[in-house]
Every structure is written in C-alpha cells, then in structure tokens.
Amino acid sequence: MSLLLGVNIDHVATVRQARYAFAKNSPNAEPCPVAAGHDALAGGADSLTIHVRGDRRHMQDADAFRIRAEVPLPLNLEMGVTEEMLGLALKLKPEFACLVPESRMEITTEGGLNVVTGFDKIRMVVARLQDAGIKVSIFVDPDIQQIEAASETCAEMVELHTGCFANATGDEVQTELDRLIAAAVAGKSAALQVNAGHGINYQNITQVLSVPHLAELNIGHSIVSRALRIGMTAAVREMKELMGPYRA
Ligand code: PXP
C-alpha cells in the first residue's frame, strides 16, 4: 500500500475569513475551499481534512457540508471532543473523524489529545461516531501510554503528532524521530492504523519517511503555502511525489 496523503485545506478558509468573516454572504467571498478541494483531488490527494473549530476561525459548517457534497474524496473531520462537534459529525457523516484537543488561544493544535485522563468521554464519543459508520482516529503525542489508551477506546486509528519533530533542531531531531518510530511500532502492534501529521513540509518529509507502519499523512500549512506560489494542484502533486518512495 502506498502512503496516502490527506490534504488539510483549513487555511484556504483562513484567507477568506481574513476579509469576509463578517460579510459571510458577500458575493465576493474568496478563496473557495470547495475549489481548493477539487484542485487537491486533481493533484492526487487521497482525502481532504478539515477542522471545524469551536470558534469557527476558518472552516464554517456550510463549508463542511459543501465539501462533503461536492468533492468526491473521502473526508476527514478533525473535531474537538464536544457535544457540539459530535452533533456536527453525526449530521455531516464524514468517512473519518480525528479527535483533537482544542483550546481557544492556541494558534494551531498544540499537542495530542490526553486519552489517559479523558478516557471515558473519548470512549463514548468514539462509540457514537462508529455507530454512525464513521471511522475514528485519535491525534496523540508519540507516547506509548497514549497509544495504548487510544487502542482501548476501540478507535481504528491514531494520528501521531509530528509537531515536536518538526520543531526540533540539532540532535533533538533524531530523538523526536525515534519517539515517532517507537510510537508507530506500538500502534502497529496494537492493530491500529497509524497516521501522522502536523508541521510536515517539503523539507522534513524525507525524514518522516523513516517512520515505519505509516498509512497516511495529513498535511495542511506547507501545502497551502506552496500552493500560493505554484497552485494547489501542483503543490499536492509535488508532495505526493516526495512521498512516493515510502515503504511501510
Ligand atoms: N493533523 C492534525 C490533527 C492537525 O490538527 C493539523 C493542523 O490542523 C494537521 C494534521 C496539519 O498540520 P499542518 O497544517 O501543520 O500540516
């Protein structure tokens, strides 16, 4: 199986919201996340990822429903573990949901979900999503305890948080890669599908490919940034080409 690419298009909506957050029905509102989804598909995206946050800072509910209806790609909804987001997911019915922590002041998702301390609520949300036919992933730090707890929730997948690796410098880079490798091995032996994401870009992707057992990467910021220069379709195609040599 080749390594799949989920393209996170949240920041297309970020640009639109920068101008049109308070003029939602403006005929001039752009750029359009649905068009970005089509362009990502043309570049070889295997799925789209969107995060409808509690504060609706980028993707709006209407974007989610339009993307679901109009772009023929599997949809992965990143969601906080809240009743509000559970309600949205059950109406939207994406193929996948990825449970993430969310706090209002953060610029982006800062750490993995603490599955150990939040176990009961997470287990309940996993079950309700699965009852609706949605496969569930949990975004976790590359920490064996978290992976074991994720497995006990009966989620099908974990997404390993690659942010610490992406931010590491010097000797820390290999230390963080080793953590990811150990976490991937633990995920595989717990029979979880192992995905990874956060801070992956066109430079560090080569090192990410040294992590075994990966099924899918979710990449947003670097692809949207590259798309500003060469267009979304070419940006996605470039990333897929870099991922091509991966062997699990
Ligand atoms: N995976 C998860 C769970 C995330 O929260 C994010 C950021 O929204 C990503 C992947 C993508 O991260 P980046 O935008 O840094 O590629």
Side-chain angles (χ1 to χ4, degrees):
M1 264 289 275
S2 59
L3 183 57
L4 302 177
L5 174 60
V7 178
N8 181 318
I9 54 173
D10 288 345
H11 293 318
V12 176
T14 302
V15 175
R16 182 196 59 201
Q17 295 304 101
R19 173 65 67 95
Y20 293 101
F22 301 105
K24 281 199 180 75
N25 298 322
S26 168
N28 302 323
E30 61 182 358
C32 172
V34 176
H38 283 294
D39 291 345
L41 170 62
D46 298 291
S47 60
L48 293 180
T49 293
I50 59 173
H51 186 176
V52 180
R53 297 184 67 107
D55 61 12
R56 303 301 194 275
R57 69 174 69 158
H58 38 54
M59 285 291 170
Q60 308 297 301
D61 299 37
D63 293 320
F65 285 98
R66 275 198 61 201
I67 290 165
R68 183 80 185 114
E70 296 177 35
V71 186
L73 273 176
L75 182 62
N76 174 34
L77 176 71
E78 284 179 12
M79 53 178 276
V81 186
T82 63
E83 278 300 324
E84 183 197 16
M85 286 306 148
L86 183 58
L88 175 67
L90 295 179
K91 274 194 231 138
L92 184 66
K93 290 201 191 315
E95 277 79 5
F96 313 112
C98 180
L99 304 182
V100 299
E102 221 179 80
S103 80
R104 268 180 196 272
M105 297 306 284
E106 69 188 2
I107 290 171
T108 181
T109 317
E110 278 168 357
L113 195 59
N114 192 333
V115 194
V116 176
T117 55
F119 185 84
D120 291 340
K121 188 162 184 203
I122 294 168
R123 171 76 194 101
M124 179 274 288
V125 169
V126 169
R128 287 179 63 190
L129 290 166
Q130 289 173 332
D131 285 348
I134 301 166
K135 279 180 79 175
V136 185
S137 176
I138 306 184
F139 188 52
V140 289
D141 289 330
D143 174 294
I144 308 295
Q145 251 197 314
Q146 294 295 336
I147 287 159
E148 284 168 359
S151 164
E152 283 165 29
T153 68
C154 299
E156 289 91 349
M157 304 172 273
V158 280
E159 179 172 326
L160 302 179
H161 192 321
T162 48
C164 288
F165 153 74
N167 291 330
T169 52
D171 292 347
E172 283 175 10
V173 175
Q174 191 56 49
T175 307
E176 293 300 335
L177 263 180
D178 289 342
R179 285 180 70 205
L180 288 166
I181 291 167
V185 169
K188 164 88 174 165
S189 52
L192 289 159
Q193 176 176 317
V194 181
N195 304 330
H198 213 284
I200 300 174
N201 60 34
Y202 292 82
Q203 286 72 46
N204 65 25
I205 179 70
T206 316
Q207 288 165 302
V208 173
L209 300 188
S210 68
V211 178
H213 310 309
L214 295 176
E216 181 182 282
L217 300 180
N218 282 306
I219 308 179
H221 191 94
S222 67
I223 290 180
V224 174
S225 302
R226 184 87 181 119
L228 291 176
R229 301 194 63 198
I230 64 171
M232 178 61 88
T233 299
V236 172
R237 194 175 292 129
E238 264 188 10
M239 186 58 83
K240 282 285 290 191
E241 278 166 13
L242 292 171
M243 289 163 58
Y246 184 72
R247 295 292 166 266

